[in-house]
Every structure is written in C-alpha cells, then in structure tokens.
Amino acid sequence: QVQMVESGGGLVQPGGSLRLSCVASERYSDNHAMGWFRQAPGNEREFVAAIRWPMRQTVYADSVKGRFTVSRDNTKNTVYLQMDSLKPEDTAIYYCARQLRPILSTLRSMSRYSSWGQGTQVTVSS
C-alpha cells in the first residue's frame, strides 16, 4: 500500500506564498493522477488541484486557478502545490492522494482517490 506524506504547511499572511510537498513511498509510472484536496473546519473536503501522469495534464478548482500550481518531480516521487496570493479562505488542512487509471472527468472526484496522506495545516492570517 503506497503511503503519502505531506509537508510544507504553516502560517502565512494574506498575499503570501507556500509550497506544499507530497512524497509517495513508491514510484508508479502508469496512468495515474496525484490530487490535492483541502478541508476547512466545519466544511467538507474539497478538490483543489490534480496532475495526471504521464500526460502531465493539470486541472484546478476555480477558486485557486491562477494562484496555485501543481507540479511533480518524478526523480523524487514528489508532487508539489505552489500556492501564491494566499487568502484567508485558503485556510485548511491540505491532503494529497492518488488515483489510478483516471480519465479527465474523474480527476476532480474525491471518491476515486485512495492512499491519502495525513495532511498539512495551512493558515492564512494577519
């Protein structure tokens, strides 16, 4: 069972930046997607961004499009989420997970992901 470990969260002021990392315990080269999700207190977990490999296709939630960038480094089994122009409403626990054999229409579907990490806290506040 692959394991994901997220890191990089913290406290940042509005307008600031953070880069989250998600390290997978194994390398998987076939068609798959790595997704980022977040959950704020009292809210349901929601989709943030995903990258499909090896197609290198990326998708984003409308709320983060233009501010967040998802990427990966295959040599390090690591997926990144670069978060710029952060807003207080971005405050949440951020999780990464993997989806095997995705298609475009399933990249945002949380139920299709497995192997969730423990999450990393992001707090945007002045």
Side-chain angles (χ1 to χ4, degrees):
Q1 175 79 359
V2 64
Q3 294 183 340
M4 311 295 179
V5 178
E6 304 97 334
S7 63
L11 173 64
V12 63
Q13 293 186 343
S17 298
L18 281 176
R19 188 177 80 158
L20 305 184
S21 300
C22 172
V23 181
S25 60
E26 65 181 35
R27 181 173 300 178
Y28 191 80
S29 300
D30 292 346
N31 178 22
H32 70 285
M34 293 298 295
W36 285 98
F37 293 78
R38 67 186 181 186
Q39 186 167 18
N43 291 354
E44 294 185 352
R45 193 171 298 188
E46 63 177 6
F47 170 79
V48 176
I51 182 166
R52 185 182 175 196
W53 198 263
M55 304 76 175
R56 304 189 183 190
Q57 181 179 30
T58 58
V59 293
Y60 298 91
D62 289 344
S63 59
V64 307
K65 198 174 297 182
R67 300 188 298 121
F68 290 12
T69 304
V70 60
S71 63
R72 65 181 288 158
D73 184 339
N74 248 19
T75 64
K76 299 180 180 179
N77 295 349
T78 301
V79 176
Y80 302 100
L81 185 67
Q82 177 67 39
M83 307 186 295
D84 299 317
S85 303
L86 282 162
K87 306 175 181 180
E89 51 263 43
D90 295 318
T91 296
I93 299 175
Y94 284 71
Y95 301 88
C96 69
R98 186 178 72 176
Q99 179 181 159
L100 299 181
R101 296 177 292 281
I103 57 177
L104 181 59
S105 62
T106 66
L107 289 177
R108 293 178 172 85
S109 300
M110 187 169 62
S111 63
R112 296 293 298 265
Y113 286 85
S114 60
S115 304
W116 293 84
Q118 82 291 344
T120 185
Q121 176 70 49
V122 172
T123 302
V124 184
S125 175
S126 55

